[in-house]
Amino acid sequence: MSECSAAVAFLVAIVTNYVTAQPPERAENTVLVWSAFGALAVVSLGLFFWERRLAAGPQNDGVRPVPLGRIAAGGTR
């Protein structure tokens, strides 16, 4: 596992060095950069709260769970 982490860190370092040595022209557009950052922040917060809701488990609506075999067979008893 540590060899895999080291390899990933090495690849990230190579990409980081390349990007900082020759930044694209669009990186100089601050409105574009901050808009992208804001959009990513909103999406990550949305995913965070969605994950928390999913981790909380199913809501108890008073409905009994139906066995998977009955659903697959199309039975309604």
Side-chain angles (χ1 to χ4, degrees):
M1 183 70 162
S2 63
E3 291 114 10
C4 184
S5 297
V8 169
F10 181 72
L11 290 174
V12 168
I14 290 173
V15 171
T16 302
N17 285 340
Y18 172 74
V19 170
T20 56
Q22 299 174 349
E25 290 181 22
R26 64 184 173 270
E28 296 174 7
N29 183 350
T30 56
V31 173
L32 177 67
V33 171
W34 283 106
S35 297
F37 176 74
L40 288 173
V42 168
V43 168
S44 65
L45 279 173
L47 289 173
F48 172 74
F49 288 118
W50 186 28
E51 186 274 333
R52 285 185 57 143
R53 183 173 180 201
L54 291 176
Q59 301 298 323
N60 186 3
D61 296 333
V63 178
R64 283 188 1 204
V66 178
L68 184 59
R70 186 176 294 165
I71 294 171
T76 56
R77 280 198 241 170

